[in-house]
Amino acid sequence: MKIKATLDRIPGGMMVVPLLIAALINTFFPDLLRIGNFTQALFVDGASTLIALFLLCTGAQINVKSFGVSVGKGATLLATKWAVGAVFGLIAYLLAGDNGLWLGLAPIAVIAAMTNSNGGLFVALVGQYGSKEDRAAYSLLALNDGPFLTMIALSIFGAMGFVDGMFSITSFISVLLPIAVGMVLGNLDENMRTFLDKGSSMLIPFFAFALGMGIDFGAILEGGLAGIILGLLTVFVTGSAGYFVFKALKWNPIVGAAEGSTAGNAVATPAAIAAANASFASVVDIATVQVAASTVTTAILLPIYVGFLVKRLEKKGYKFEQEDVQEEANV
């Protein structure tokens, strides 16, 4: 059976499929895996631990030695992506109804999905239409992996009085320490970075399954369509913002548009946020589903949108640097 090959053909399959399977089990057979010991610890109660380990592995991929390479482009992409996601998150908070949702969207899902980008998809697209310097910008973009930028946005909103929940210094440290430990290990030893890189991919289906065991299938039906809308916003708003910012700076605009995605690892962000501040716990389930839906939507739609933009530029006489790249998209 080609299980992995099948999952790889599904956008975000390593994350979405286990989450959906677990949600189905939790909806119709909620006690099936709640039998104690290792089974329950891994498949039901293990989400927080697995996410923490995942964040450590992800942190190891942040290479501080590469920050000087294309740092301007990387910082511009990072700032644009975060600013757009934060603004839409703030709008979602200000216009949210009594149920805490805006257009059916959980505000923390909006921030998590729109500020976090699929690095593998970015590298693949930029490898086709950009230069080595453009691809090197990803060394800085790795900072938007995980809950860090989402927590910063929420803390700013809290200080402005727009969000009830705030994060203490201890909460920040408790969430970010695994990332910091991984970053230190990865930068002290290149072999450790390579070793931990395997974990960042391997852990996704396991923590996704554990998250799914906390979701009722009704939440998927409720949040799925809104999650697709979130994916459309991510592609067309953050992607277009990056496109026009890079165009204004006389850089390859396709590189800016290539940031218009949501990474599979963003599905862990709502749970990480709620672990740091319980005031967000009530929307964790629906936010997780919406981020997952955004991941799939952007993985399918962004390459199509980028192709459309490329054709427009080529009609205007724009020439792209074509380079061979053997990178796999990490969806």
Side-chain angles (χ1 to χ4, degrees):
M1 295 180 65
K2 299 183 182 296
I3 297 175
K4 185 177 183 301
T6 302
L7 292 176
D8 286 341
R9 285 196 293 268
I10 302 171
M14 280 292 181
M15 173 271 300
V16 174
V17 173
L19 186 143
L20 291 176
I21 291 174
L24 283 170
I25 293 174
N26 186 59
T27 300
F28 298 106
F29 309 100
D31 297 324
L32 182 65
L33 297 177
R34 290 179 169 88
I35 57 177
N37 292 318
F38 299 132
T39 296
Q40 184 167 333
L42 176 61
F43 294 115
V44 181
D45 301 329
S48 295
T49 302
L50 292 170
I51 289 171
L53 182 55
F54 168 79
L55 292 176
L56 188 151
C57 293
T58 300
Q61 309 315 307
I62 301 174
N63 189 348
V64 297
K65 295 179 182 178
S66 300
F67 278 7
V69 181
S70 302
V71 66
K73 292 181 179 180
T76 301
L77 282 170
L78 192 68
T80 302
K81 180 84 169 170
W82 180 84
V84 172
V87 167
F88 269 79
L90 179 57
I91 292 172
Y93 269 110
L94 295 177
L95 300 181
D98 295 336
N99 60 355
L101 304 178
W102 171 63
L103 301 179
L105 290 168
I108 62 169
V110 174
I111 301 172
M114 296 186 75
T115 61
N116 187 307
S117 58
N118 185 329
L121 186 56
F122 172 83
V123 169
L125 291 171
V126 173
Q128 184 174 357
Y129 300 111
S131 64
K132 291 180 180 179
E133 288 72 23
D134 294 328
R135 292 205 306 274
Y138 179 64
S139 62
L140 196 62
L141 294 178
L143 290 173
N144 73 13
D145 286 349
F148 178 54
L149 295 183
T150 303
M151 290 181 73
I152 289 178
L154 291 172
S155 293
I156 292 173
F157 298 162
M160 297 168 64
F162 295 127
V163 179
D164 293 335
M166 283 285 286
F167 300 96
S168 66
I169 295 299
T170 303
S171 297
F172 259 102
I173 293 174
S174 66
V175 171
L176 301 180
L177 189 57
I179 300 175
V181 171
M183 188 173 175
V184 169
L185 289 173
N187 283 277
L188 289 177
D189 185 351
E190 186 68 31
N191 290 330
M192 283 299 295
R193 174 180 290 119
T194 302
F195 170 71
L196 292 171
D197 185 37
K198 301 172 183 176
S200 61
S201 300
M202 184 271 289
L203 289 166
I204 290 176
F206 294 98
F207 76 64
F209 189 95
L211 287 172
M213 284 301 295
I215 296 174
D216 188 280
F217 202 71
I220 294 179
L221 297 178
E222 180 183 355
L225 179 59
I228 294 174
I229 294 173
L230 179 56
L232 294 174
L233 285 173
T234 301
V235 170
F236 292 116
V237 177
T238 66
S240 297
Y243 177 89
F244 287 113
V245 167
F246 264 54
K247 188 175 182 180
L249 293 172
K250 308 297 183 184
W251 292 335
N252 182 349
I254 295 302
V255 177
E259 267 287 84
S261 64
T262 300
N265 56 31
V267 74
T269 295
I273 296 297
N277 190 322
S279 65
F280 298 101
S282 62
V283 293
V284 165
D285 290 352
I286 192 168
T288 299
V289 171
Q290 289 173 352
V291 173
S294 179
T295 298
V296 177
T297 303
T298 59
I300 296 172
L301 188 58
L302 182 61
I304 298 173
Y305 182 51
V306 166
F308 166 77
L309 294 174
V310 167
K311 289 181 179 179
R312 284 194 61 187
L313 289 172
E314 287 178 337
K315 286 181 180 179
K316 295 179 180 180
Y318 193 97
K319 300 295 183 181
F320 294 97
E321 284 190 59
Q322 299 294 329
E323 294 181 353
D324 293 328
V325 60
Q326 302 296 325
E327 302 279 355
E328 285 189 350
N330 175 24
V331 295

